[in-house]
Amino acid sequence: MRRATYLLPIIVILAAIGLSSIYIVDEREKGLVLQFGRVVAVKEEPGLAFKIPLIQEVVRYDDRILSRDIDPLEVTPLDDRRLVVDAFARYRIVDVNQFRQAVGAGGIAFAEDRLDSILRAETREVLGSVSSNDILSSDRAALMLRIRNSAIAEASALGVEIIDVRLKRTDLPTENLDATFERMRAEREREATDERARGNEAAQRVRAQADRTVVELVSDSERQAEIIRGEADARRNAIFAEAFGADPEFFEFYRSLTAYERALKGENSTMVMSPDSEFFNYLRSDQGSRSVEGD
């Protein structure tokens, strides 16, 4: 009984020591075994591993692709048009041993501060070498690649690989927005005025051409109408002449009737003429001439 009393604590202590000598590395992590602050082993493969209890400790680092948002920074392109740039980067720890030596006990937080400094400096340098139009155009993809490539060498000293750099947003500083909007509005108004002037000029040309076309069409139509009327009058005269030649007496009678109709129009028309006037040749009776009153 006394032996069991002594063995039980010993077994518990040995079990605790045994368990503390075992550690597990997740597939999403990489591990470093430290002994008195010095790296003695690197565990990059996931699984079960051993260490010396109480003397050695395990530090784990994320092996996944990490994202880091960069605080908005102000850049000045070649055209001195200041811009506020908001960017982020994706990176990965590729050498945990070098990473530990570079950042020490500061870990990820210290490394990200260093990455911020590197990325901000490279962003200012790259974007400061081009115009603001290049930054705001589709060429920004090439600029992001330049920032990434420039930052890779410095980030490698931390044991970190920068995978990608992206510009999320590019804006004007708040104090410059009103002036910029006014300038844009003035430019658009000038363009609108130019467009209206060109439109009015084009409209005047179209109206002048239309008026000229109308005059030409009307003149040509009147000319053709006169020609047609002249041909019709000639045809009519020819018909009259042909009819007169066929029966002169009947034609003379027809013309006299037409003259009567025209002369005696109205509800109360009176005509006084000499009885022997030729105008009444077809109105005389066999008993003699008389004055004629017609309605």
Side-chain angles (χ1 to χ4, degrees):
M1 187 68 180
R2 183 177 297 176
R3 180 181 297 178
T5 302
Y6 290 115
L7 287 177
L8 184 59
I10 294 173
I11 292 173
V12 173
I13 293 172
L14 291 175
I17 293 173
L19 291 176
S20 64
S21 65
I22 299 172
Y23 67 93
I24 299 174
V25 177
D26 191 88
E27 64 271 9
R28 296 167 296 181
E29 299 175 336
K30 291 181 180 181
L32 287 179
V33 180
L34 303 180
Q35 182 173 320
F36 305 116
R38 182 173 57 88
V39 178
V40 295
V42 178
K43 180 63 175 175
E44 296 186 349
E45 297 298 327
L48 189 67
F50 298 92
K51 64 181 180 63
I52 300 175
L54 303 179
I55 297 177
Q56 295 178 345
E57 62 174 333
V58 177
V59 179
R60 294 175 173 83
Y61 295 105
D62 204 324
D63 192 35
R64 295 172 295 180
I65 295 176
L66 304 175
S67 179
R68 177 63 179 173
D69 284 324
I70 305 171
D71 292 336
L73 70 154
E74 189 173 295
V75 298
T76 304
L78 290 177
D79 52 6
D80 293 331
R81 184 182 180 184
R82 293 187 302 161
L83 298 173
V84 176
V85 177
D86 190 5
F88 74 95
R90 296 188 183 277
Y91 70 97
R92 183 178 183 181
I93 301 173
V94 293
D95 190 336
V96 289
N97 190 13
Q98 186 177 0
F99 183 81
R100 177 69 184 189
Q101 293 175 1
V103 303
I108 295 292
F110 183 80
E112 288 185 342
D113 289 341
R114 293 278 302 275
L115 280 176
D116 284 352
S117 299
I118 294 171
L119 292 171
R120 290 170 69 89
E122 296 300 334
T123 300
R124 282 197 174 97
E125 181 177 352
V126 172
L127 299 186
S129 64
V130 296
S131 67
S132 58
N133 290 333
D134 294 331
I135 299 174
L136 299 174
S137 69
S138 59
D139 295 337
R140 63 190 301 169
L143 298 177
M144 292 185 289
L145 184 61
R146 284 179 56 188
I147 296 172
R148 169 188 171 273
N149 293 339
S150 299
I152 282 178
E154 293 188 47
S156 63
L158 300 175
V160 171
E161 177 189 9
I162 296 180
I163 298 174
D164 193 15
V165 175
R166 293 288 168 179
L167 301 179
K168 294 192 299 184
R169 189 177 61 181
T170 304
D171 295 328
L172 292 169
T174 305
E175 60 272 16
N176 293 352
L177 286 177
D178 292 339
T180 301
F181 289 153
E182 288 298 327
R183 185 171 65 252
M184 293 173 62
R185 185 181 294 108
E187 291 177 356
R188 297 301 178 270
E189 290 177 353
R190 179 182 57 79
E191 292 177 359
T193 301
D194 292 342
E195 288 295 331
R196 284 193 293 268
R198 285 192 289 270
N200 292 332
E201 181 181 357
Q204 290 177 359
R205 288 198 300 269
V206 172
R207 282 193 291 267
Q209 181 64 33
D211 293 341
R212 178 180 177 182
T213 302
V214 168
V215 172
E216 292 176 350
L217 290 175
V218 171
S219 298
D220 185 64
S221 299
E222 291 178 350
R223 180 181 61 83
Q224 294 181 13
E226 292 297 330
I227 293 174
I228 292 172
R229 278 194 292 268
E231 292 176 350
D233 290 341
R235 179 62 178 164
R236 181 193 62 184
N237 294 333
I239 292 173
F240 281 147
E242 183 179 356
F244 182 77
D247 192 347
E249 184 178 357
F250 176 77
F251 186 74
E252 186 68 24
F253 174 71
Y254 175 77
R255 287 176 63 92
S256 296
L257 292 180
T258 301
Y260 297 157
E261 180 182 7
R262 293 177 179 177
L264 300 176
K265 283 184 178 181
E267 296 180 355
N268 187 16
S269 298
T270 302
M271 180 179 292
V272 179
M273 299 183 68
S274 174
D276 58 351
S277 174
E278 295 182 358
F279 185 73
F280 297 105
N281 285 341
Y282 293 98
L283 294 178
R284 292 192 185 100
S285 64
D286 294 339
Q287 284 79 21
S289 59
R290 60 179 178 175
S291 297
V292 178
E293 294 183 2
D295 294 334

